[in-house]
Amino acid sequence: MTNATRKHTALPKAQTLIEALPWLTRHHGKTVVIKFGGNAMIDDELKAAFAQDVVFLRHAGLKPVVVHGGGPQISAALDRHGIVSEFKAGLRVTTEDAMDVVRMVLAGQVQRELVGLLNQHGPLAVGLTGEDAHTITATRHLPEIDGERIDIGRVGEITAIDTGAIQALLEDGRIPVVSSIARSQDDGHVYNVNADTAAAALAAALGAETLMVLTDVEGLYEDWPNSDEVISRLTASQLEKLLPELSSGMVPKMEGCLHAVRNGVTTARVIDGRVQHSILLEIFTDEGIGTMVVPDAEGDA
């Protein structure tokens, strides 16, 4: 290879790195909470790319915190145990027996695998659940259907967040990986908590710069199903107006984004977890690839 050819092939790589410079500067030392879910959780290549992205953020001077659920894995495990999966108001009905399986799958399987993938790159990741060090406390959630409160078992509504253990891990240069299980505020049990909701609550409590929610769509669509045009940016108030029209799967994600930006998080983003390295594309490039929610004042400005 001649010198001229070498320069020519190396230059685009240098330009890509330079494009990231203002974003590296802006995000240095900032906390980023990432909700890991959707297809990225079950596709091996996407899982590996996700782990690389999170480790890259850590080495680039950011402080990533990963929060995960495990819908597909929980459903498969419940099937194996002969427990029927039932959903009401978009949430999994969680009996005492089902809760044992949920806890086992989240803390013993999904979290372990994710911690293992991250730790292929060094002694970085540490797994914990919301039960550890009172990280997430919840009380029984009673959703309303047709004006009536219904009992869906051990599904929790978050009442308190204690960030002490996560802050200590971040200060030690570690990557916390948090399973969305909460301790009970009042009855000594544990609760299954929606992972989108848990990620948003943690992002707000940590004073994170950004909440990123991985999904199986490109972002929030302008006029679905008539158009596949993605809204690239909207304010908290604009999002609030759209909430009643959203599909049930997007509601907890977008409610989480709304909660985050209304409680001190600078930006909340929904990004397509089916795209390899979508986290890096969203944080370190000018274009971004998902839907970004910003606080009202900033959007108006």
Side-chain angles (χ1 to χ4, degrees):
M1 191 188 278
T2 66
N3 277 345
T5 315
R6 250 201 312 272
K7 281 179 190 163
H8 178 69
T9 53
L11 194 55
K13 292 177 184 171
Q15 284 166 335
T16 302
L17 289 168
I18 290 302
E19 186 186 335
L21 183 58
W23 308 108
L24 283 164
T25 307
R26 175 184 294 186
H27 295 303
H28 193 84
K30 300 284 174 53
T31 301
V32 180
V33 175
I34 305 162
K35 158 50 183 13
F36 179 58
N39 225 41
M41 289 189 88
I42 45 181
D43 179 295
D44 287 340
E45 283 186 14
L46 289 173
K47 271 193 277 203
F50 174 82
Q52 287 174 327
D53 285 7
V54 173
V55 171
F56 187 98
L57 294 184
R58 157 70 178 70
H59 287 307
L62 288 82
K63 296 176 177 176
V65 176
V66 179
V67 179
H68 72 88
Q73 293 91 336
I74 290 169
S75 294
L78 288 172
D79 283 349
R80 286 197 301 275
H81 284 80
I83 300 171
V84 177
S85 289
E86 188 186 354
F87 291 85
K88 289 183 183 173
L91 296 165
R92 184 186 298 278
V93 176
T94 310
T95 61
E96 298 291 339
D97 287 347
M99 188 64 227
D100 289 341
V101 176
V102 167
R103 196 183 197 182
M104 179 178 69
V105 170
L106 292 182
Q109 179 189 334
V110 180
Q111 183 199 89
R112 291 296 93 210
E113 185 180 13
L114 191 45
V115 166
L117 285 168
L118 290 163
N119 285 342
Q120 285 177 9
H121 304 278
L124 297 167
V126 177
L128 63 156
T129 78
E131 299 169 72
D132 293 314
H134 293 191
T135 298
I136 305 174
T137 301
T139 190
R140 188 180 290 262
H141 175 56
L142 297 169
E144 198 174 295
I145 298 180
D146 299 328
E148 197 179 328
R149 295 276 174 195
I150 59 158
D151 185 355
I152 54 172
R154 304 226 62 84
V155 175
E157 192 164 314
I158 297 171
T159 55
I161 298 279
D162 184 329
T163 60
I166 291 176
Q167 295 277 25
L169 288 168
L170 291 174
E171 281 162 27
D172 194 34
R174 311 294 178 183
I175 300 170
V177 177
V178 187
S179 304
S180 59
I181 306 165
R183 66 184 281 270
S184 169
Q185 176 182 293
D186 38 34
D187 63 9
H189 288 281
V190 293
Y191 282 109
N192 182 15
V193 175
N194 179 285
D196 298 311
T197 310
L202 276 171
L206 286 162
E209 170 77 4
T210 296
L211 167 68
M212 304 185 87
V213 181
L214 268 66
T215 65
D216 283 342
V217 292
E218 292 169 74
L220 197 57
Y221 293 112
E222 190 92 47
D223 183 23
W224 185 260
N226 307 317
S227 156
D228 60 0
E229 195 69 32
V230 171
I231 303 169
S232 60
R233 179 188 174 99
L234 75 169
T235 65
S237 292
Q238 288 168 333
L239 172 57
E240 195 167 33
K241 288 195 189 91
L242 286 177
L243 277 177
E245 301 161 28
L246 300 182
S247 65
S248 60
M250 280 304 267
V251 169
K253 293 171 174 44
M254 299 319 299
E255 281 181 342
C257 289
L258 185 61
H259 174 82
V261 298
R262 287 229 160 119
N263 288 276
V265 178
T266 312
T267 62
R269 307 147 191 253
V270 172
I271 61 171
D272 192 344
R274 301 167 303 176
V275 177
Q276 283 203 13
H277 305 301
S278 53
I279 292 170
L280 298 189
L281 290 169
E282 182 64 23
I283 285 201
F284 293 128
T285 67
D286 297 336
E287 286 81 25
I289 60 162
T291 296
M292 181 162 78
V293 184
V294 296
D296 286 328
E298 193 182 320
D300 298 340

